[in-house]
Amino acid sequence: MLDLLLRGARLPGESETREIGIKEGLISELEPDAQQTIDLGGALVTPALVEPHIHLDAVLTVGEPRHNQTGSLFEGIAIWAERVRTLTVEDVKQRVRTVLRWQLANGVQFVRSHVDVCDPELKAVRALVELREEIGDQVHLQLVAFPQQGIMSFDGGQDLMRKAVDLGVDVVGAIPHFELTREYGVDSVKFAFALASNKGLRVDIHCDETDDDHSRFIETMAAETIRLGMGGRVTASHTTAMHSYNNAYAYRLINNLKRAQMHMVTNPLDNSTLQGRFDSYPIRRGHTRVKELLSAGINVCIGHDSVMDPWYPLGYGDPMQSAFVLAHYGQMSGHSELRTLMDMITWNGASALGLEKYGLLPGCRADLCAFDAPTEMDAIRLIAPRKLVLRGGKIVARTEPARTTVTWDGREEMVDFLNPPRNQLRDP
Ligand code: FE2
């Protein structure tokens, strides 16, 4: 007998609804009986959303000690340097506990967080490592040692990276474009790969997050990935300089990224506001080449990056907002591209994080997300509420959709944003 039967679930890319059986926390083959049945009424059901790139240690610090008036990356870095002085373990944990709850409510159950290690006491790393233990299996949390001020250019940077690894981070980061020289940048990438490879960890580097077309550390990442045989375990995040590379160089690079089997993370919320700041008109979008990377068969996922911090004052941890912005900013409003956006916040992120038993097939963990919308297009259009979130087959979040009325011709009537009703879902 099944523990739970979900009726009326519409899976991505399918027009008919189907039933999903759940047994012992896993998706199961269907059986005749179930202890409990829930009718989802045609809701789009995806696997749990994946957040592959967020800076949890900085969340909810917007306005502390002051607001970023220009909205620039550099004013953000200056404000963060002031805020870091008052950081405590409990301060970090309290803010992160809040955002993890927001993420779960949004259907996010797998999170990779970068954590700043440029602090001799490593307070943020200690806080996040403790919190990862505290939350258990409620949310899967991966931590990246992230050297905000650089590895080679920050006093004791290499030691702090090693200590963060000893404290138990899962992934090794770097920020080569921020190092004092190009040579330091290359050295920092090689340092990160050596550390990760020695400890059996993955790599996720903030790489070329600048509009400078001379910033080309990603080629060193590809070379190190190939040399060390780390294909599938390496992610390059941001890579906004790729927007400005000449096409001949980009062509060669993208071929090498494919050969290296690297994962890419694009962060449309932060980078749509931060890039192009040194341009007069025309202002470059400064965004990595998502469509070219995807069409080359490279795994690209979408990250949120910031939630209410000195760099980005908005957001509530919902990957659907990031996908919505990428639909515009990355010109991905084509019908099948909207579906691809959903893949980029689910399966693609799962692949970058190396998740197992992820998906909708029998044997996968029953970590699911049901939208208050029938199709991928409607889910993105409305940034539709997650009406039900299941983890291991148990309901862990639910949202009652808002009820809206208008008064028209003197009569109050319901508004349904899913209207006009469609008789059938043509090629949903
Ligand atoms: Fe980032």
Side-chain angles (χ1 to χ4, degrees), residues 25-63:
L26 303 177
I27 296 174
S28 156
E29 301 287 353
L30 291 175
E31 293 181 18
D33 296 311
Q35 289 191 359
Q36 188 191 359
T37 300
I38 297 175
D39 190 348
L40 293 172
L44 173 70
V45 174
T46 67
L49 308 190
V50 178
E51 177 50 71
H53 189 114
I54 191 167
H55 297 254
L56 284 176
D57 51 340
V59 294
L60 310 185
T61 58
V62 65

Side-chain angles (χ1 to χ4, degrees), residues 209-427:
E209 188 183 3
T210 164
D211 296 317
D212 176 9
D213 62 327
H214 291 278
S215 186
R216 296 178 172 188
F217 297 103
I218 191 167
E219 68 180 21
T220 307
M221 285 189 70
E224 287 294 276
T225 306
I226 292 166
R227 187 177 71 83
L228 294 166
M230 290 181 70
R233 299 175 60 79
V234 173
T235 299
S237 287
H238 293 286
T239 65
T240 53
M242 200 185 295
H243 183 97
S244 300
Y245 295 159
N246 68 68
N247 286 337
Y249 177 70
Y251 174 80
R252 179 171 76 94
L253 175 68
I254 288 171
N255 278 334
N256 290 340
L257 297 177
K258 169 74 175 165
R259 179 178 158 199
Q261 294 178 274
M262 281 169 59
H263 307 285
M264 310 293 293
V265 175
T266 188
N267 297 289
L269 297 177
D270 282 56
N271 287 132
S272 61
T273 61
L274 296 176
Q275 301 316 124
R277 290 285 180 147
F278 294 99
D279 291 356
S280 53
Y281 289 94
I283 296 174
R284 286 169 292 170
R285 296 187 180 203
H287 186 57
T288 199
R289 299 186 180 214
V290 172
K291 287 164 75 158
E292 285 181 48
L293 290 162
L294 284 169
S295 65
I298 294 167
N299 186 46
V300 186
C301 16
I302 304 176
H304 198 296
D305 209 15
S306 295
V307 178
M308 298 179 71
D309 69 14
W311 297 277
Y312 185 74
L314 309 177
Y316 51 90
D318 187 358
M320 293 296 286
Q321 275 202 327
S322 320
F324 183 85
V325 169
L326 189 61
H328 300 76
Y329 183 52
Q331 299 183 333
M332 293 186 67
S333 55
H335 190 58
S336 63
E337 289 170 337
L338 292 172
R339 284 186 181 161
T340 300
L341 290 171
M342 294 298 294
D343 290 344
M344 292 171 77
I345 57 173
T346 51
W347 276 279
N348 295 14
S351 173
L353 267 58
L355 303 180
E356 291 172 357
K357 292 190 174 179
Y358 180 91
L360 295 171
L361 298 172
C364 293
R365 282 180 55 118
D367 302 333
L368 302 171
C369 185
F371 290 80
D372 186 35
T375 67
E376 294 97 314
M377 185 174 79
D378 285 322
I380 292 174
R381 176 175 69 88
L382 299 169
I383 308 191
R386 296 340 93 84
K387 60 187 204 176
L388 222 51
V389 177
L390 289 96
R391 178 141 180 97
K394 302 266 187 306
I395 295 171
V396 289
R398 62 171 93 229
T399 299
E400 294 293 331
R403 185 177 177 278
T404 306
T405 64
V406 292
T407 298
W408 195 268
D409 288 337
R411 277 202 313 273
E412 188 181 23
E413 53 188 65
M414 288 291 298
V415 173
D416 180 357
F417 293 109
L418 284 169
N419 275 329
R422 281 165 282 180
N423 291 334
Q424 57 182 22
L425 296 167
R426 289 162 309 197
D427 186 22

